Amino acid sequence: MLDGVGGMLLAYSDLFLVQCPRCSSCARIFTPNNAKGKDEPRYLGHESKRLLCVKCGYTKDIHPKRRWDNLWAFSHELYNEKQGVDWYFGLPLYLQTQCCGHKLWFFNYEHLFDIEIYIKEHVRPSGLYYLSAKSRLPKWMKLSKNRDEVLKAITKLKFL
Ligand SMILES: [Zn+2]
């Protein structure tokens, strides 16, 4: 849904903030330093990942497996990005809320700030909706009439 502005959502996927399955605090999913495939472009998105909650200490690792074609990949399909869950463990994203009848979600704060800046600069407060070919944001987020509500929801998420 919330694609990177003019880029790929993958650019933000090095850090997911999710709800900890044990204590519901904000846990992180990231690529550990010793991850298999780290820094090798062909593994992009398929490096080992670690789920870590600093609040309760919950930790879980997930590792890719070598496939028939000798590449490393996860044995499961990466989770559907439309559901507001992380790609690896399928946990609900921490930065999400209901907005204008839709689910608004972000992978992490960098993602959130980029989208906020984009909306502030490109969606005009009045007039017809502004549909940019460059941005792959969902249409409802680019509607002028939704601008204030979207920005308000983003601000709310910043103070979670
Ligand atoms: Zn926890």
Side-chain angles (χ1 to χ4, degrees), residues 42-57:
R42 67 194 183 123
Y43 293 115
L44 206 58
H46 285 271
E47 310 91 345
S48 295
K49 295 289 173 183
R50 175 166 299 159
L51 167 65
L52 174 66
C53 173
V54 288
K55 189 96 174 263
C56 73

Side-chain angles (χ1 to χ4, degrees), residues 19-27 52-58:
Q19 282 173 29
C20 172
R22 190 151 74 187
C23 74
S24 299
S25 297
C26 181
L52 174 66
C53 173
V54 288
K55 189 96 174 263
C56 73
Y58 186 86

Side-chain angles (χ1 to χ4, degrees), residues 28-100:
R28 303 163 63 226
I29 296 170
F30 56 98
T31 308
N33 280 329
N34 58 353
K36 211 176 268 178
K38 190 173 160 75
D39 298 327
E40 294 182 47
R42 67 194 183 123
Y43 293 115
L44 206 58
H46 285 271
E47 310 91 345
S48 295
K49 295 289 173 183
R50 175 166 299 159
L51 167 65
L52 174 66
C53 173
V54 288
K55 189 96 174 263
C56 73
Y58 186 86
T59 311
K60 195 175 176 188
D61 284 357
I62 186 172
H63 301 288
K65 293 195 172 70
R66 193 181 282 281
R67 297 192 315 191
W68 58 272
D69 57 2
N70 231 15
L71 291 178
W72 294 90
F74 290 110
S75 50
H76 65 275
E77 286 291 311
L78 296 186
Y79 287 90
N80 185 337
E81 64 192 48
K82 291 191 173 119
Q83 293 170 350
V85 299
D86 84 82
W87 292 354
Y88 304 103
F89 297 93
L91 294 168
L93 295 173
Y94 191 73
L95 298 175
Q96 67 171 305
T97 186
Q98 283 296 121
C99 178
C100 307

